[in-house]
């Protein structure tokens, strides 16, 4: 069996603030195979970005991380600083959200891409020009500064930086945030084409399920720091099982689907505070089908029927037969 590019087991991420411990990620298990895109979705504050940053230990030093994060079979959490430096950008890199806050305003785009390769002692035959052509900016943009680029062009520059060291895994954290629909579609197509051409794996994080319908092979839904449903991309989006997944899917039209809902629906209430989670299933205060057991037991992910690749953390779905 081929070793997964990324394998995360029982991951817990806890911030420590003046108000006490804040459990942002609680017992997450995810796996990404070579060439696969796993989509991660959920409302703001559910722990998506914390999970993404924890995968490469890009969290404050006071943050507690437990569990295991295996990248190509090596545990990120046991690595010393020198080993970790060799992994970041070289084996796994990040496309951050909000390019205007990531790019250095006083350095040219080409110089910033060069820095990524120089820092990690990597060289590229085609250099910066090849990367800029690859992401559709053109080599002439190497001497431009961030303020000379549009929002979509800045995102393309971030993608070029993420690809500079030829990583095997890209972590894309809300890479289409604040972009208009046309530019968003172009960025999604670009990421998908590069992934397929290079055999990359990708963790694509968003709050918008309509985006995942275009790019994800599998989808994991997060709520209150936990994954509450996971399955094949379009199957999960068309036929969500968990009540929260259903509500989330109903909030967005699915692009390209003739049966897309014309009147997206909302979800009453707000996500719980991570420092004051309700007992049992954290979704039960907002759930229309909650029963007494939901208020006392937080169900773990378990298989649905005979589907080995579909798992749901809900009392209404039993363990796979056999």
């Amino acid at each position: 069996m081929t070793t997964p590019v990324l394998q995360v087991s029982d991951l817990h991420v806890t911030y420590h603030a003046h108000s006490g411990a804040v459990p942002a990620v609680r017992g997450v298990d995810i796996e990404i195979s070579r060439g696969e895109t796993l989509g991660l979705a959920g409302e703001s504050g559910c722990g998506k970005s914390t999970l993404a940053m924890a995968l490469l230990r890009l969290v404050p030093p006071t943050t507690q991380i437990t569990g295991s994060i295996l990248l190509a079979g090596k545990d990120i959490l046991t690595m010393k600083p020198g080993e970790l430096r060799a992994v970041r950008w070289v084996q796994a890199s990040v496309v951050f959200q909000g390019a205007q806050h990531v790019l250095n305003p006083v350095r040219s785009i080409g110089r910033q891409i060069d820095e990524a390769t120089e820092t990690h002692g990597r060289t590229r035959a085609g250099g910066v020009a090849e990367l800029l052509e690859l992401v559709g900016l053109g080599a002439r943009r190497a001497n431009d500064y961030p303020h000379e680029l549009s929002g979509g062009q800045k995102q393309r520059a971030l993608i070029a930086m993420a690809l500079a060291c030829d990583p095997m895994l890209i972590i894309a954290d809300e890479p289409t945030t604040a972009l208009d629909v046309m530019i968003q579609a172009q960025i999604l197509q670009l990421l998908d084409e590069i992934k397929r051409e290079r055999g990359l794996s990708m963790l694509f994080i968003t709050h918008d399920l309509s985006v995942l319908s275009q790019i994800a092979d599998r989808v994991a839904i997060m709520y209150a720091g936990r994954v509450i449903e996971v399955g094949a991309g379009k199957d999960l989006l068309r036929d969500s099982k968990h009540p929260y997944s259903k509500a989330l899917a109903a909030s967005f039209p699915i692009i390209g689907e003739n049966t897309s809902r014309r009147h997206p629906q909302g979800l009453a209430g707000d996500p719980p505070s991570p420092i004051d989670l309700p007992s049992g299933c954290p979704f039960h205060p907002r759930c229309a089908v909650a029963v007494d057991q939901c208020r006392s037991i937080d169900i773990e992910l378990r298989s649905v029927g005979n589907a080995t690749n579909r798992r749901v953390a809900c009392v209404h779905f039993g363990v796979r037969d056999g």
Side-chain angles (χ1 to χ4, degrees), residues 179-191:
L179 300 179
D180 64 49
V181 175
M182 292 299 293
I183 301 301
Q184 182 182 95
Q186 292 172 11
I187 296 299
L188 290 175
Q189 182 178 2
L190 172 64
L191 284 169

Side-chain angles (χ1 to χ4, degrees), residues 75-227:
D75 196 340
I76 294 290
L77 297 184
T78 63
M79 290 183 178
K80 297 179 180 179
E83 297 173 300
L84 190 58
R85 185 187 182 95
V87 166
R88 291 173 178 161
W89 297 101
V90 177
Q91 294 188 46
S93 61
V94 184
V95 179
F96 295 96
Q97 59 177 302
Q100 69 274 18
H101 304 302
V102 178
L103 295 170
N104 189 328
V106 297
R107 292 198 175 184
S108 69
I109 296 300
R111 182 69 192 114
Q112 293 186 63
I113 296 174
D114 264 338
E115 283 181 337
T117 55
E118 290 174 2
T119 298
H120 296 284
R122 311 280 285 192
T123 58
R124 296 185 60 88
V128 171
E130 178 199 32
L131 283 168
L132 292 177
E133 292 291 345
L134 177 66
V135 300
L137 275 180
R140 63 186 180 84
R141 290 291 192 177
N143 295 322
D144 287 354
Y145 288 82
H147 73 271
E148 298 177 276
L149 304 182
S150 68
Q153 289 170 332
K154 289 186 179 76
Q155 284 302 131
R156 291 174 184 268
L158 285 188
I159 294 170
M161 292 173 65
L163 294 170
C165 296
D166 290 319
M168 60 183 175
L169 173 69
I170 296 287
I171 300 171
D173 185 14
E174 300 272 13
T176 57
T177 296
L179 300 179
D180 64 49
V181 175
M182 292 299 293
I183 301 301
Q184 182 182 95
Q186 292 172 11
I187 296 299
L188 290 175
Q189 182 178 2
L190 172 64
L191 284 169
D192 196 46
E193 288 176 352
I194 291 174
K195 186 205 81 166
R196 295 179 187 281
E197 289 174 2
R198 299 194 166 204
L200 293 174
S201 302
M202 184 160 56
L203 176 63
F204 192 100
I205 299 168
T206 183
H207 64 278
D208 188 343
L209 292 188
S210 63
V211 168
L212 295 185
S213 68
Q214 303 172 66
I215 197 168
D217 299 304
R218 288 187 303 121
V219 171
I221 306 295
M222 282 191 75
Y223 187 79
R226 288 190 56 201
V227 172

Side-chain angles (χ1 to χ4, degrees), residues 211-255:
V211 168
L212 295 185
S213 68
Q214 303 172 66
I215 197 168
D217 299 304
R218 288 187 303 121
V219 171
I221 306 295
M222 282 191 75
Y223 187 79
R226 288 190 56 201
V227 172
I228 51 90
E229 184 167 2
V230 62
K234 291 188 176 179
D235 289 343
L236 187 149
L237 299 177
R238 289 170 181 160
D239 183 27
S240 302
K241 302 298 185 185
H242 195 284
Y244 175 69
S245 302
K246 286 180 178 289
L248 197 65
S251 299
F252 297 97
I254 304 301
I255 297 173

